[in-house]
Structures are given as C-alpha cells and as structure tokens.
Amino acid sequence: MALRVKALFIYPVKSCQGIQVDEAEISKKGFKYDRYWMIVDGKGDMVTQRKMTRLGSIGTKMVQKDGQTGVELTWNGERPITVWEKDESDIRQTAEVFGGVMKNALVCGEDVNTWLDEALGAKVPTYKLLQCPKDEKRDVEMDMAVNVPGEGYTTGFADGFPYLALLQSSLDEINKKASESASFDSNLHTLDVRRFRPNILIEGDVIPNDDDDWHEVQIGKGTFHFVTACERCVLTTINPDTQKMDQRMTPSNALTLLNKYRNFGRGALFGQNCVSQSHETIVRKGDTVYVTSRRTATTKDHDLGKKPSSLPSCGVLSLFSVLSFAAAVGLAIKRSKPNPAQ
C-alpha cells in the first residue's frame, strides 16, 4: 500500500488531551490551533504531564459561534467550560517554555483560571490559561538540520518543533516488542498512539523507523522537512485512560522498551520532528505521502547519536599489532643467539 496519512492530530492546550481531525492547516507555528493555549503556574512556568499527570484528564474540543473560535475544556468528560480566542489587545504576561520565554502571552481570564484551580486541586489561586500571541514566536533549534531550505522556522507553545510525524509501522513494532513480555496483557499494555502525541500518523508499506533517513516529504499539497528524531520523555509512560505512570518494568513502559532498541547515544528516539513553509496549505486524512529525498548515511547516524567508525581506533589497533609482531620477532632473535651459561 502506498504511504498515506492515517490520522491527523492537534493538541489545542499543551499537555492536555488531543483531537483527531480530518484536516489541518499548516501555519508558521505548526498546525492551526495546535498548542495554541498553555497552562502555567503562579511563576509563569509551563505546566505539563511530566510533573502533573492529571492534565491528561482535561479534554479539548474546538468550537465556533458567531464567527468566534474557541476551545471547550472538560474534566473527565464533565464540567464543560468554553474559552474564546482572545483579541491581541487583551492583557498579557510572560510565560516560560522549555527555557525559552514568551513575553506577550495572552491571559484568558479568571473564569477558566478558577476552573483550572478546581480541576487540578489547587487550594489557592495557582493556575492560568494563556494563549499564544500571533505577534511573538520562538525560534526552532535547527542545529541538526541539513540542507533544509529557508530560515526563520518558528513554533509557539510546542516543546521544540512545530510538527511531529510517526509511522504506523514503528508503532506496530513497539507494540510487538511489548507483547513479547511474559506478563503482557493486551487489555492493559497495548501502546496507544496517544502516548506519543504525533501530529501526523503515516501508514503504508514501509519498514519501522524508515523515517530516520527521510529528508523532504510531500504530504498532499504540503512540503515538510524532517529535521531530527524526537527524543522521548516520561509522557510516553503515562496511560492516557488512567493518567497513571507505568512502572519501569511494566510491558507498556515505552521508555524502557525504546531504550533497548532505539537509543543510539542521545536518548530514546521515536518519530520525527518536522518543519514546513507551506503556510496556509491544508493537509487531509488520506493524503498521499511521497518521500522526495533522503538523508545521507552520515547525516542520519549523526542525528541518531551513532558514533561513526573511528580511524584513530583503527590506527591504535594497527600500531598494537605492529608492536606485537616486532616483540615476537625480537624474542625469536634473542632465542637464536648462543647462551653463555650453557
């Protein structure tokens, strides 16, 4: 089967539940409305499931009314509250995102802040919902990028890159490895795609992790550049239905599994971080995917953290061999000389 888009996802509020959509619009900071809102604490620091797994209980749904766009939040499917998109002239504050700072994030209002405090169990006012400003951005780290055209790639409240792609074959492989455990229970330990939070899930006749050496990829009418493999964190170990974190040796602990076969020196890698300049282009579920160019072997190994074969090591080995041979020859010559003691 040819490669195609199996599913598309956006995550309106960072680290909360995502939404599967039939189509998504490419923008400068990722798919439109993806990680458009973010929860922060009293210091303005981002709050994620890494430290508060309860965020996984917050459901999200995009809504529209009278020309306005907003997001409806629910707590375990109940207590809905709608947050409407803020005007750029509204109140702003500073927010921290992975060491980066956005100075002009928009404050969404006291009603939703109170709702968050109650949902997340805060005894005093603690949490705020912020909206990503249109007039501010975070630059994407392009240290690993090779031959990626253009510059000025940006993101909003996403961790580091605007897009994340994943292969269905890679997801199938990690589930197969999980099933090889003697304690595996398909009802408890199947690794749902929600654990890995991709924007684009791709299926078709392709080997697992083939995207390690994808460079330029055409998806529908949009062009994406696959920049670097995604280093995974503890979010992959959180059950999306229970919000409980797997124990290290549980068959469904994705980090334990990935570290066994997908850690080449820079962490457990799974899926690909991407960028795109096909702004305002629509990507749709079912779109055909074409890999139009691939990385070189050297670039791929560098990205994965693999250490290339080292000439100095070979030189040391060769020198050792030469010295060993010389020592053996010297010993033979010594033994061939007459011994005065005899």
Side-chain angles (χ1 to χ4, degrees):
M1 180 176 66
L3 297 176
R4 69 181 188 92
V5 176
K6 180 177 182 179
L8 294 168
F9 302 89
I10 63 169
Y11 306 87
V13 182
K14 184 178 181 66
S15 219
C16 296
Q17 293 177 21
I19 305 170
Q20 188 168 339
V21 296
D22 291 330
E23 62 180 38
E25 180 182 331
I26 298 173
S27 78
K28 293 180 180 179
K29 299 177 182 178
F31 282 144
K32 192 173 183 179
Y33 295 117
D34 183 49
R35 278 91 167 186
Y36 191 54
W37 291 275
M38 179 176 72
I39 300 168
V40 297
D41 61 17
K43 297 179 181 179
D45 294 341
M46 66 176 186
V47 180
T48 73
Q49 289 189 52
R50 293 172 178 85
K51 293 185 177 180
M52 181 174 284
T53 62
R54 296 180 70 183
L55 289 185
S57 294
I58 297 179
T60 59
K61 176 184 177 183
M62 297 302 300
V63 293
Q64 288 189 325
K65 182 180 180 181
D66 299 330
Q68 281 188 302
T69 300
V71 61
E72 180 185 89
L73 307 182
T74 54
W75 175 254
N76 286 322
E78 301 177 348
R79 298 166 56 190
I81 184 172
T82 299
V83 181
W84 297 106
E85 187 173 9
K86 303 296 288 184
D87 186 88
E88 293 292 305
S89 64
D90 284 330
I91 299 172
R92 299 177 181 243
Q93 79 159 63
T94 298
E96 183 276 334
V97 190
F98 276 101
V101 175
M102 298 194 82
K103 296 181 179 180
N104 297 298
L106 292 151
V107 180
C108 291
E110 290 301 322
D111 289 348
V112 68
N113 295 344
T114 299
W115 186 93
L116 287 171
D117 284 337
E118 293 174 356
L120 299 177
K123 296 181 179 179
V124 296
T126 302
Y127 301 107
K128 290 182 180 180
L129 186 69
L130 303 182
Q131 178 183 307
C132 188
K134 290 183 172 69
D135 55 1
E136 191 175 5
K137 62 186 184 300
R138 291 166 54 228
D139 292 332
V140 170
E141 292 291 336
M142 296 294 283
D143 295 345
M144 290 298 211
V146 177
N147 296 326
V148 175
E151 57 184 16
Y153 291 100
T154 63
T155 188
F157 288 151
D159 286 0
F161 288 84
Y163 302 97
L164 177 65
L166 181 65
L167 299 183
Q168 180 64 48
S169 60
S170 302
L171 185 62
D172 292 341
E173 181 184 48
I174 193 173
N175 273 291
K176 182 176 182 297
K177 291 183 180 294
S179 69
E180 293 169 355
S181 169
S183 58
F184 178 79
D185 182 334
S186 60
N187 293 320
L188 298 175
H189 302 138
T190 298
L191 290 161
D192 192 299
V193 67
R194 291 175 294 167
R195 288 179 181 251
F196 304 103
R197 300 176 73 83
N199 295 113
I200 308 169
L201 182 63
I202 299 170
E203 66 176 354
D205 293 328
V206 62
I207 62 173
N209 306 301
D210 188 60
D211 50 345
D212 282 341
D213 63 0
W214 292 7
H215 175 237
E216 183 178 278
V217 181
Q218 191 78 20
I219 303 178
K221 295 182 179 180
T223 300
F224 292 80
H225 285 89
F226 283 42
V227 179
T228 181
C230 181
E231 183 177 349
R232 293 307 185 153
C233 69
V234 295
L235 257 71
T236 62
T237 69
I238 300 171
N239 186 312
D241 294 318
T242 65
Q243 285 72 58
K244 292 183 178 180
M245 192 174 292
D246 294 326
Q247 296 299 311
R248 189 172 67 87
M249 298 312 294
T250 303
S252 55
N253 187 303
L255 275 186
T256 299
L257 288 166
L258 289 171
N259 274 311
K260 289 179 179 179
Y261 77 103
R262 288 290 298 167
N263 190 335
F264 307 103
R266 74 170 183 93
L269 307 178
F270 199 62
Q272 294 289 323
N273 292 305
C274 315
V275 295
S276 177
Q277 287 190 328
S278 300
H279 304 151
E280 300 183 0
T281 301
I282 303 297
V283 175
R284 294 180 172 83
K285 179 181 177 180
D287 275 350
T288 303
V289 176
Y290 298 98
V291 181
T292 53
S293 68
R294 291 178 176 264
R295 299 170 181 162
T296 65
T298 301
T299 302
K300 171 184 172 181
D301 288 350
H302 174 66
D303 177 51
L304 296 179
K306 291 183 178 180
K307 295 181 180 179
S309 298
S310 175
L311 289 176
S313 298
C314 295
V316 170
L317 180 60
S318 299
L319 180 61
F320 177 77
S321 301
V322 170
L323 291 175
S324 299
F325 176 77
V329 170
L331 181 60
I333 292 173
K334 180 179 180 181
R335 285 179 175 174
S336 67
K337 293 181 180 179
N339 188 342
Q342 289 180 348

Tab-separated table of all heavy atoms in Angstrom, residues 201-255:
chain	number	residue	atom	x	y	z
A	201	LEU	N	0.178	10.821	11.580
A	201	LEU	CA	0.431	9.382	11.633
A	201	LEU	C	0.360	8.851	10.202
A	201	LEU	O	-0.648	9.022	9.516
A	201	LEU	CB	-0.597	8.684	12.516
A	201	LEU	CG	-0.431	7.171	12.702
A	201	LEU	CD1	0.889	6.855	13.409
A	201	LEU	CD2	-1.605	6.585	13.484
A	202	ILE	N	1.457	8.211	9.767
A	202	ILE	CA	1.581	7.773	8.378
A	202	ILE	C	1.580	6.255	8.315
A	202	ILE	O	2.297	5.587	9.074
A	202	ILE	CB	2.888	8.319	7.762
A	202	ILE	CG1	2.864	9.860	7.772
A	202	ILE	CG2	3.099	7.797	6.341
A	202	ILE	CD1	4.192	10.495	7.416
A	203	GLU	N	0.776	5.695	7.397
A	203	GLU	CA	0.737	4.249	7.230
A	203	GLU	C	1.084	3.880	5.791
A	203	GLU	O	1.051	4.712	4.883
A	203	GLU	CB	-0.652	3.709	7.572
A	203	GLU	CG	-1.758	4.144	6.629
A	203	GLU	CD	-3.099	3.503	6.960
A	203	GLU	OE1	-3.146	2.636	7.847
A	203	GLU	OE2	-4.104	3.872	6.316
A	204	GLY	N	1.423	2.595	5.594
A	204	GLY	CA	1.745	2.103	4.258
A	204	GLY	C	2.851	1.066	4.315
A	204	GLY	O	3.275	0.629	5.392
A	205	ASP	N	3.311	0.647	3.147
A	205	ASP	CA	4.353	-0.376	3.055
A	205	ASP	C	5.715	0.253	3.310
A	205	ASP	O	6.412	0.707	2.393
A	205	ASP	CB	4.327	-1.040	1.673
A	205	ASP	CG	3.055	-1.846	1.455
A	205	ASP	OD1	2.527	-2.387	2.458
A	205	ASP	OD2	2.581	-1.913	0.309
A	206	VAL	N	6.107	0.286	4.559
A	206	VAL	CA	7.381	0.888	4.937
A	206	VAL	C	7.868	0.206	6.205
A	206	VAL	O	7.078	-0.155	7.082
A	206	VAL	CB	7.211	2.411	5.150
A	206	VAL	CG1	6.243	2.705	6.292
A	206	VAL	CG2	8.544	3.085	5.395
A	207	ILE	N	9.177	0.001	6.307
A	207	ILE	CA	9.733	-0.667	7.479
A	207	ILE	C	9.663	0.269	8.684
A	207	ILE	O	9.625	1.493	8.528
A	207	ILE	CB	11.187	-1.115	7.237
A	207	ILE	CG1	12.081	0.107	6.972
A	207	ILE	CG2	11.268	-2.117	6.099
A	207	ILE	CD1	13.564	-0.245	6.886
A	208	PRO	N	9.641	-0.286	9.888
A	208	PRO	CA	9.622	0.563	11.082
A	208	PRO	C	10.812	1.516	11.111
A	208	PRO	O	11.935	1.160	10.746
A	208	PRO	CB	9.707	-0.449	12.233
A	208	PRO	CG	9.147	-1.711	11.668
A	208	PRO	CD	9.572	-1.725	10.237
A	209	ASN	N	10.553	2.750	11.504
A	209	ASN	CA	11.579	3.777	11.678
A	209	ASN	C	12.315	4.133	10.382
A	209	ASN	O	13.412	4.684	10.415
A	209	ASN	CB	12.586	3.356	12.758
A	209	ASN	CG	11.907	3.011	14.064
A	209	ASN	OD1	11.219	3.844	14.649
A	209	ASN	ND2	12.062	1.770	14.504
A	210	ASP	N	11.681	3.841	9.247
A	210	ASP	CA	12.282	4.230	7.967
A	210	ASP	C	12.432	5.745	7.879
A	210	ASP	O	13.284	6.257	7.152
A	210	ASP	CB	11.427	3.726	6.808
A	210	ASP	CG	12.083	3.926	5.451
A	210	ASP	OD1	13.181	3.371	5.233
A	210	ASP	OD2	11.513	4.657	4.613
A	211	ASP	N	11.615	6.469	8.639
A	211	ASP	CA	11.675	7.929	8.612
A	211	ASP	C	12.959	8.487	9.224
A	211	ASP	O	13.195	9.693	9.158
A	211	ASP	CB	10.449	8.539	9.304
A	211	ASP	CG	10.190	7.950	10.678
A	211	ASP	OD1	10.759	6.891	11.005
A	211	ASP	OD2	9.385	8.535	11.439
A	212	ASP	N	13.805	7.624	9.792
A	212	ASP	CA	15.098	8.092	10.296
A	212	ASP	C	15.908	8.780	9.205
A	212	ASP	O	16.692	9.684	9.500
A	212	ASP	CB	15.923	6.919	10.854
A	212	ASP	CG	15.472	6.489	12.236
A	212	ASP	OD1	14.799	7.285	12.917
A	212	ASP	OD2	15.798	5.355	12.640
A	213	ASP	N	15.752	8.326	7.954
A	213	ASP	CA	16.538	8.966	6.901
A	213	ASP	C	15.694	9.719	5.872
A	213	ASP	O	16.150	10.032	4.780
A	213	ASP	CB	17.473	7.964	6.213
A	213	ASP	CG	16.749	6.847	5.497
A	213	ASP	OD1	15.503	6.829	5.523
A	213	ASP	OD2	17.429	5.996	4.907
A	214	TRP	N	14.441	10.031	6.247
A	214	TRP	CA	13.630	10.899	5.380
A	214	TRP	C	14.121	12.339	5.522
A	214	TRP	O	14.465	12.802	6.609
A	214	TRP	CB	12.157	10.840	5.755
A	214	TRP	CG	11.500	9.512	5.460
A	214	TRP	CD1	12.108	8.361	5.043
A	214	TRP	CD2	10.110	9.210	5.578
A	214	TRP	NE1	11.171	7.355	4.901
A	214	TRP	CE2	9.947	7.857	5.208
A	214	TRP	CE3	8.988	9.947	5.951
A	214	TRP	CZ2	8.697	7.226	5.214
A	214	TRP	CZ3	7.753	9.331	5.966
A	214	TRP	CH2	7.610	7.980	5.589
A	215	HIS	N	14.152	13.044	4.416
A	215	HIS	CA	14.599	14.435	4.447
A	215	HIS	C	13.471	15.380	4.016
A	215	HIS	O	12.959	16.146	4.825
A	215	HIS	CB	15.822	14.612	3.530
A	215	HIS	CG	16.281	16.034	3.419
A	215	HIS	ND1	16.386	16.693	2.223
A	215	HIS	CD2	16.641	16.932	4.375
A	215	HIS	CE1	16.800	17.937	2.442
A	215	HIS	NE2	16.962	18.110	3.725
A	216	GLU	N	13.065	15.292	2.758
A	216	GLU	CA	11.949	16.101	2.269
A	216	GLU	C	10.774	15.186	1.949
A	216	GLU	O	10.947	14.166	1.278
A	216	GLU	CB	12.360	16.894	1.027
A	216	GLU	CG	11.256	17.822	0.524
A	216	GLU	CD	11.693	18.637	-0.687
A	216	GLU	OE1	12.351	19.667	-0.486
A	216	GLU	OE2	11.383	18.209	-1.823
A	217	VAL	N	9.600	15.563	2.431
A	217	VAL	CA	8.418	14.714	2.291
A	217	VAL	C	7.245	15.563	1.812
A	217	VAL	O	6.950	16.621	2.387
A	217	VAL	CB	8.068	14.027	3.627
A	217	VAL	CG1	6.847	13.134	3.465
A	217	VAL	CG2	9.257	13.211	4.135
A	218	GLN	N	6.579	15.080	0.776
A	218	GLN	CA	5.388	15.743	0.251
A	218	GLN	C	4.154	15.055	0.838
A	218	GLN	O	3.967	13.846	0.676
A	218	GLN	CB	5.354	15.657	-1.275
A	218	GLN	CG	4.305	16.518	-1.933
A	218	GLN	CD	4.695	17.987	-2.003
A	218	GLN	OE1	5.876	18.303	-1.902
A	218	GLN	NE2	3.728	18.863	-2.160
A	219	ILE	N	3.337	15.821	1.551
A	219	ILE	CA	2.113	15.293	2.146
A	219	ILE	C	0.950	16.099	1.584
A	219	ILE	O	0.774	17.273	1.917
A	219	ILE	CB	2.141	15.374	3.679
A	219	ILE	CG1	3.357	14.618	4.230
A	219	ILE	CG2	0.862	14.811	4.272
A	219	ILE	CD1	3.496	14.684	5.736
A	220	GLY	N	0.179	15.461	0.702
A	220	GLY	CA	-0.838	16.217	-0.005
A	220	GLY	C	-0.174	17.332	-0.796
A	220	GLY	O	0.758	17.102	-1.564
A	221	LYS	N	-0.602	18.563	-0.580
A	221	LYS	CA	-0.007	19.708	-1.259
A	221	LYS	C	1.039	20.423	-0.408
A	221	LYS	O	1.591	21.444	-0.822
A	221	LYS	CB	-1.109	20.695	-1.660
A	221	LYS	CG	-2.081	20.134	-2.685
A	221	LYS	CD	-3.125	21.167	-3.078
A	221	LYS	CE	-4.077	20.601	-4.127
A	221	LYS	NZ	-5.122	21.601	-4.527
A	222	GLY	N	1.323	19.865	0.769
A	222	GLY	CA	2.293	20.486	1.665
A	222	GLY	C	3.639	19.793	1.629
A	222	GLY	O	3.727	18.577	1.443
A	223	THR	N	4.699	20.573	1.801
A	223	THR	CA	6.061	20.032	1.855
A	223	THR	C	6.592	20.152	3.279
A	223	THR	O	6.540	21.235	3.876
A	223	THR	CB	6.993	20.787	0.892
A	223	THR	OG1	6.501	20.651	-0.442
A	223	THR	CG2	8.410	20.227	0.961
A	224	PHE	N	7.098	19.046	3.808
A	224	PHE	CA	7.665	19.017	5.145
A	224	PHE	C	9.131	18.589	5.061
A	224	PHE	O	9.482	17.762	4.223
A	224	PHE	CB	6.904	18.038	6.042
A	224	PHE	CG	5.502	18.466	6.367
A	224	PHE	CD1	4.459	18.277	5.461
A	224	PHE	CD2	5.212	19.063	7.586
A	224	PHE	CE1	3.172	18.675	5.753
A	224	PHE	CE2	3.915	19.466	7.889
A	224	PHE	CZ	2.888	19.267	6.972
A	225	HIS	N	9.942	19.136	5.946
A	225	HIS	CA	11.318	18.676	6.074
A	225	HIS	C	11.472	18.012	7.445
A	225	HIS	O	11.146	18.617	8.474
A	225	HIS	CB	12.301	19.836	5.914
A	225	HIS	CG	12.445	20.264	4.484
A	225	HIS	ND1	11.629	21.211	3.914
A	225	HIS	CD2	13.290	19.832	3.503
A	225	HIS	CE1	11.972	21.368	2.641
A	225	HIS	NE2	12.959	20.547	2.369
A	226	PHE	N	11.929	16.783	7.406
A	226	PHE	CA	12.134	16.018	8.632
A	226	PHE	C	13.519	16.392	9.164
A	226	PHE	O	14.537	16.092	8.535
A	226	PHE	CB	12.026	14.514	8.344
A	226	PHE	CG	10.611	14.031	8.172
A	226	PHE	CD1	9.677	14.773	7.451
A	226	PHE	CD2	10.204	12.829	8.730
A	226	PHE	CE1	8.364	14.342	7.296
A	226	PHE	CE2	8.890	12.379	8.577
A	226	PHE	CZ	7.974	13.141	7.864
A	227	VAL	N	13.539	17.052	10.327
A	227	VAL	CA	14.766	17.671	10.818
A	227	VAL	C	15.567	16.751	11.735
A	227	VAL	O	16.766	16.580	11.575
A	227	VAL	CB	14.446	18.987	11.554
A	227	VAL	CG1	15.717	19.621	12.096
A	227	VAL	CG2	13.735	19.952	10.619
A	228	THR	N	14.889	16.149	12.704
A	228	THR	CA	15.615	15.357	13.691
A	228	THR	C	14.670	14.386	14.393
A	228	THR	O	13.486	14.683	14.574
A	228	THR	CB	16.292	16.272	14.742
A	228	THR	OG1	17.011	15.491	15.688
A	228	THR	CG2	15.274	17.120	15.473
A	229	ALA	N	15.191	13.234	14.781
A	229	ALA	CA	14.391	12.260	15.515
A	229	ALA	C	13.993	12.826	16.869
A	229	ALA	O	14.739	13.596	17.486
A	229	ALA	CB	15.176	10.959	15.693
A	230	CYS	N	12.804	12.461	17.330
A	230	CYS	CA	12.255	13.003	18.575
A	230	CYS	C	12.741	12.187	19.775
A	230	CYS	O	12.504	10.982	19.855
A	230	CYS	CB	10.733	12.995	18.518
A	230	CYS	SG	9.952	13.670	20.002
A	231	GLU	N	13.424	12.868	20.697
A	231	GLU	CA	13.864	12.211	21.930
A	231	GLU	C	12.698	12.173	22.910
A	231	GLU	O	12.120	13.205	23.246
A	231	GLU	CB	15.046	12.956	22.544
A	231	GLU	CG	15.603	12.280	23.784
A	231	GLU	CD	16.819	12.986	24.347
A	231	GLU	OE1	17.361	13.887	23.668
A	231	GLU	OE2	17.227	12.642	25.470
A	232	ARG	N	12.365	10.988	23.383
A	232	ARG	CA	11.148	10.786	24.177
A	232	ARG	C	11.365	10.976	25.670
A	232	ARG	O	12.448	10.758	26.208
A	232	ARG	CB	10.589	9.409	23.888
A	232	ARG	CG	10.070	9.282	22.454
A	232	ARG	CD	9.082	10.385	22.146
A	232	ARG	NE	8.475	10.229	20.841
A	232	ARG	CZ	7.279	10.698	20.518
A	232	ARG	NH1	6.578	11.372	21.395
A	232	ARG	NH2	6.798	10.530	19.298
A	233	CYS	N	10.259	11.361	26.340
A	233	CYS	CA	10.300	11.633	27.772
A	233	CYS	C	9.261	10.777	28.496
A	233	CYS	O	8.666	9.872	27.912
A	233	CYS	CB	10.038	13.112	28.026
A	233	CYS	SG	8.338	13.609	27.649
A	234	VAL	N	9.014	11.092	29.760
A	234	VAL	CA	8.136	10.273	30.594
A	234	VAL	C	6.672	10.317	30.164
A	234	VAL	O	5.882	9.486	30.601
A	234	VAL	CB	8.240	10.674	32.083
A	234	VAL	CG1	9.622	10.377	32.628
A	234	VAL	CG2	7.899	12.145	32.270
A	235	LEU	N	6.289	11.285	29.317
A	235	LEU	CA	4.897	11.316	28.861
A	235	LEU	C	4.497	10.017	28.185
A	235	LEU	O	3.332	9.616	28.239
A	235	LEU	CB	4.673	12.491	27.896
A	235	LEU	CG	3.953	13.708	28.505
A	235	LEU	CD1	4.888	14.427	29.479
A	235	LEU	CD2	3.493	14.659	27.418
A	236	THR	N	5.448	9.338	27.552
A	236	THR	CA	5.146	8.082	26.866
A	236	THR	C	4.814	6.961	27.839
A	236	THR	O	4.262	5.933	27.428
A	236	THR	CB	6.330	7.644	25.996
A	236	THR	OG1	7.476	7.413	26.836
A	236	THR	CG2	6.676	8.690	24.959
A	237	THR	N	5.122	7.143	29.108
A	237	THR	CA	4.868	6.094	30.104
A	237	THR	C	3.540	6.305	30.834
A	237	THR	O	3.199	5.525	31.720
A	237	THR	CB	6.003	6.037	31.144
A	237	THR	OG1	5.968	7.220	31.963
A	237	THR	CG2	7.365	5.949	30.469
A	238	ILE	N	2.805	7.355	30.471
A	238	ILE	CA	1.539	7.652	31.151
A	238	ILE	C	0.372	7.045	30.382
A	238	ILE	O	0.196	7.309	29.194
A	238	ILE	CB	1.343	9.181	31.284
A	238	ILE	CG1	2.486	9.790	32.100
A	238	ILE	CG2	-0.001	9.489	31.953
A	238	ILE	CD1	2.499	11.310	32.094
A	239	ASN	N	-0.412	6.234	31.053
A	239	ASN	CA	-1.594	5.629	30.436
A	239	ASN	C	-2.613	6.742	30.163
A	239	ASN	O	-3.068	7.410	31.093
A	239	ASN	CB	-2.197	4.583	31.380
A	239	ASN	CG	-3.349	3.819	30.754
A	239	ASN	OD1	-4.260	4.397	30.177
A	239	ASN	ND2	-3.319	2.505	30.888
A	240	PRO	N	-2.999	6.963	28.897
A	240	PRO	CA	-3.901	8.080	28.579
A	240	PRO	C	-5.318	7.906	29.116
A	240	PRO	O	-6.073	8.881	29.164
A	240	PRO	CB	-3.884	8.111	27.045
A	240	PRO	CG	-3.521	6.722	26.637
A	240	PRO	CD	-2.589	6.220	27.689
A	241	ASP	N	-5.672	6.700	29.528
A	241	ASP	CA	-7.018	6.467	30.063
A	241	ASP	C	-7.082	6.611	31.578
A	241	ASP	O	-8.117	6.995	32.136
A	241	ASP	CB	-7.514	5.078	29.659
A	241	ASP	CG	-7.730	4.963	28.160
A	241	ASP	OD1	-8.275	5.911	27.564
A	241	ASP	OD2	-7.341	3.930	27.583
A	242	THR	N	-5.983	6.281	32.253
A	242	THR	CA	-5.978	6.324	33.719
A	242	THR	C	-5.125	7.449	34.285
A	242	THR	O	-5.209	7.750	35.472
A	242	THR	CB	-5.462	4.999	34.288
A	242	THR	OG1	-4.081	4.839	33.919
A	242	THR	CG2	-6.270	3.813	33.749
A	243	GLN	N	-4.259	8.039	33.442
A	243	GLN	CA	-3.285	9.058	33.852
A	243	GLN	C	-2.285	8.531	34.881
A	243	GLN	O	-1.644	9.304	35.599
A	243	GLN	CB	-3.980	10.322	34.418
A	243	GLN	CG	-4.623	11.198	33.367
A	243	GLN	CD	-5.879	10.574	32.795
A	243	GLN	OE1	-6.812	10.282	33.552
A	243	GLN	NE2	-5.931	10.367	31.498
A	244	LYS	N	-2.150	7.223	34.960
A	244	LYS	CA	-1.157	6.627	35.852
A	244	LYS	C	0.104	6.296	35.069
A	244	LYS	O	0.050	5.879	33.916
A	244	LYS	CB	-1.717	5.363	36.511
A	244	LYS	CG	-2.851	5.647	37.491
A	244	LYS	CD	-3.320	4.369	38.168
A	244	LYS	CE	-4.427	4.673	39.177
A	244	LYS	NZ	-4.912	3.432	39.847
A	245	MET	N	1.248	6.472	35.732
A	245	MET	CA	2.527	6.247	35.084
A	245	MET	C	2.959	4.788	35.261
A	245	MET	O	2.855	4.222	36.348
A	245	MET	CB	3.581	7.189	35.677
A	245	MET	CG	4.887	7.250	34.906
A	245	MET	SD	6.007	8.528	35.570
A	245	MET	CE	5.113	10.030	35.120
A	246	ASP	N	3.425	4.184	34.163
A	246	ASP	CA	3.876	2.799	34.217
A	246	ASP	C	5.116	2.649	35.094
A	246	ASP	O	5.986	3.522	35.117
A	246	ASP	CB	4.244	2.295	32.812
A	246	ASP	CG	3.044	2.215	31.890
A	246	ASP	OD1	1.952	1.907	32.383
A	246	ASP	OD2	3.213	2.455	30.683
A	247	GLN	N	5.189	1.526	35.797
A	247	GLN	CA	6.428	1.179	36.483
A	247	GLN	C	7.485	0.834	35.433
A	247	GLN	O	7.171	0.470	34.307
A	247	GLN	CB	6.203	-0.008	37.425
A	247	GLN	CG	5.241	0.290	38.560
A	247	GLN	CD	5.727	1.404	39.464
A	247	GLN	OE1	6.878	1.393	39.907
A	247	GLN	NE2	4.865	2.373	39.734
A	248	ARG	N	8.746	0.921	35.816
A	248	ARG	CA	9.837	0.791	34.843
A	248	ARG	C	9.802	-0.528	34.090
A	248	ARG	O	10.070	-0.578	32.887
A	248	ARG	CB	11.203	0.951	35.539
A	248	ARG	CG	12.375	1.053	34.563
A	248	ARG	CD	13.649	1.414	35.295
A	248	ARG	NE	14.070	0.342	36.176
A	248	ARG	CZ	14.838	-0.681	35.796
A	248	ARG	NH1	15.234	-0.774	34.536
A	248	ARG	NH2	15.195	-1.603	36.645
A	249	MET	N	9.450	-1.618	34.746
A	249	MET	CA	9.499	-2.937	34.105
A	249	MET	C	8.134	-3.391	33.583
A	249	MET	O	7.989	-4.527	33.152
A	249	MET	CB	10.066	-3.972	35.081
A	249	MET	CG	11.505	-3.693	35.520
A	249	MET	SD	12.602	-3.328	34.128
A	249	MET	CE	12.593	-4.921	33.294
A	250	THR	N	7.129	-2.504	33.627
A	250	THR	CA	5.833	-2.834	33.049
A	250	THR	C	5.977	-3.002	31.540
A	250	THR	O	6.687	-2.218	30.906
A	250	THR	CB	4.820	-1.718	33.348
A	250	THR	OG1	4.740	-1.529	34.762
A	250	THR	CG2	3.440	-2.064	32.809
A	251	PRO	N	5.337	-4.011	30.925
A	251	PRO	CA	5.478	-4.230	29.471
A	251	PRO	C	5.148	-3.002	28.631
A	251	PRO	O	5.678	-2.840	27.538
A	251	PRO	CB	4.499	-5.372	29.194
A	251	PRO	CG	4.407	-6.118	30.474
A	251	PRO	CD	4.519	-5.073	31.550
A	252	SER	N	4.268	-2.134	29.146
A	252	SER	CA	3.862	-0.961	28.372
A	252	SER	C	4.709	0.270	28.664
A	252	SER	O	4.390	1.367	28.185
A	252	SER	CB	2.394	-0.638	28.656
A	252	SER	OG	2.169	-0.471	30.043
A	253	ASN	N	5.790	0.140	29.434
A	253	ASN	CA	6.651	1.290	29.687
A	253	ASN	C	7.457	1.579	28.424
A	253	ASN	O	8.439	0.910	28.119
A	253	ASN	CB	7.578	1.039	30.877
A	253	ASN	CG	8.352	2.293	31.267
A	253	ASN	OD1	9.058	2.879	30.462
A	253	ASN	ND2	8.204	2.701	32.516
A	254	ALA	N	7.021	2.585	27.682
A	254	ALA	CA	7.617	2.858	26.374
A	254	ALA	C	9.088	3.255	26.475
A	254	ALA	O	9.891	2.900	25.607
A	254	ALA	CB	6.829	3.958	25.663
A	255	LEU	N	9.457	3.994	27.521
A	255	LEU	CA	10.848	4.406	27.639
A	255	LEU	C	11.771	3.214	27.855
A	255	LEU	O	12.865	3.139	27.294
A	255	LEU	CB	11.010	5.397	28.796
A	255	LEU	CG	10.731	6.869	28.483
A	255	LEU	CD1	11.076	7.725	29.690
A	255	LEU	CD2	11.507	7.344	27.269
